[in-house]
């Protein structure tokens, strides 16, 4: 977005709210009208949190998450901004949800927890072979749902965003894949859901 088109926080949140269907409501029966009420009282962080909740409950366009990401950055809400940018990547590249169990200390190389906020981009064995018949791994960024970190030996539902989506077209729910940070197995995951990349209009 060009500097002369830069929106401020309330404008970004208002613009994002217009992309939410009017009939949408959260589990607590919060509606888009409630968002406007919070914006009218300069409760920007509450409005942002609720808009994220709307987006997590249904499929909303890329522009929705882009506006939320910029608003979160202007509010200096780092994890919220990271999540919104993450959702943009999921729309562009697709996302695989999986149950991941890390190897405990002593069985794997890792001795420290991994960040849950999409920092780690490990390698995954998803069944591909190199031209020489060796194992070929594919990279996917990892986000841990509802947990700030995941310790060795821990178990959690994770979201994987492939670096190269075309490598992942064959994966299916129920399939087991392995996570690698080096040649050893760092964790074992079972795929729960596969969401292919969205077709986004060219700009």
């Amino acid at each position: 977005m060009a500097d002369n088109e830069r929106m401020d926080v309330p404008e970004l949140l208002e613009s994002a709210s217009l992309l939410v269907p009017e009939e949408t409501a959260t589990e607590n029966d919060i509606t888009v009208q409630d968002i406007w009420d919070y914006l009218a009282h300069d409760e920007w962080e509450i409005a942002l949190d609720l808009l994220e909740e709307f987006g997590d409950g249904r499929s909303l366009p890329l522009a929705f998450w882009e506006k939320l990401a910029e608003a979160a950055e202007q509010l200096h809400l780092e994890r919220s901004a990271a999540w919104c940018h993450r959702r943009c990547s999921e729309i562009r590249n697709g996302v695989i949800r999986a149950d991941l169990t890390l190897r405990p200390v002593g069985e794997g190389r890792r001795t420290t927890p991994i960040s849950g906020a999409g920092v780690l981009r490990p390698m995954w064995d998803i069944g591909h072979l190199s031209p020489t018949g060796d194992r070929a791994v594919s990279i996917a960024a990892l986000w841990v749902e509802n947990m700030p970190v995941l310790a060795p030996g821990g178990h959690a539902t994770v979201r994987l965003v492939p670096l190269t989506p075309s490598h992942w077209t064959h994966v299916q729910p129920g399939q087991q894949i392995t996570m690698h940070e080096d040649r050893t197995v760092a964790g074992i995951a079972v795929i729960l859901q596969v969401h292919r990349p969205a077709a986004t209009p060219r700009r």
Side-chain angles (χ1 to χ4, degrees):
M1 186 179 293
D3 289 342
N4 61 356
E5 296 177 349
R6 185 179 179 85
M7 296 181 182
D8 60 21
V9 170
E11 288 175 325
L12 287 163
L13 296 177
E14 288 172 12
S15 183
S17 70
L18 293 173
L19 297 172
V20 180
E22 286 187 18
E23 69 276 9
T24 304
T26 69
E27 292 181 358
N28 297 322
D29 291 327
I30 299 294
T31 66
V32 176
Q33 183 58 53
D34 294 306
I35 300 291
W36 285 84
D37 290 341
Y38 283 117
L39 291 175
H41 291 90
D42 295 336
E43 298 283 0
W44 300 341
E45 289 189 29
I46 296 175
L48 175 62
D49 286 343
L50 291 173
L51 283 167
E52 287 182 26
E53 191 174 340
F54 282 135
D56 291 340
R58 64 185 299 152
S59 177
L60 290 173
L62 177 62
F64 172 85
W65 290 106
E66 289 176 334
K67 293 176 191 301
L68 292 194
E70 186 172 343
E73 287 178 349
Q74 291 190 35
L75 290 169
H76 305 292
L77 301 173
E78 292 183 7
R79 186 173 176 88
S80 184
W83 173 242
C84 295
H85 281 300
R86 173 75 180 201
R87 292 305 302 270
C88 291
S89 296
E90 291 182 357
I91 292 170
R92 294 188 188 101
N93 288 24
V95 59
I96 294 95
R97 295 181 70 245
D99 274 336
L100 172 65
T101 302
L102 294 183
R103 286 284 177 87
V105 174
E107 292 186 18
R109 179 176 179 180
R110 175 171 286 276
T111 58
T112 58
I114 63 174
S115 168
V119 176
L120 194 67
R121 300 173 71 179
M123 299 170 287
W124 300 87
D125 182 353
I126 55 176
H128 288 303
L129 297 177
S130 72
T132 60
D134 296 323
R135 178 181 67 204
V137 293
S138 297
I139 296 172
L142 183 153
W143 184 288
V144 182
E145 292 188 356
N146 304 317
M147 295 172 65
V149 297
L150 182 61
H155 174 88
T157 301
V158 297
R159 306 171 74 92
L160 311 179
V161 171
L163 181 66
T164 307
S166 60
H167 289 183
W168 295 72
T169 55
H170 68 289
V171 299
Q172 299 292 336
Q175 184 176 343
Q176 181 173 293
I177 62 177
T178 56
M179 171 180 151
H180 300 262
E181 294 185 85
D182 56 18
R183 295 184 65 85
T184 63
V185 173
I188 297 174
V190 177
I191 294 174
L192 300 173
Q193 296 175 326
V194 179
H195 298 281
R196 305 301 179 191
T200 54
R202 293 183 180 274
R203 296 189 171 183

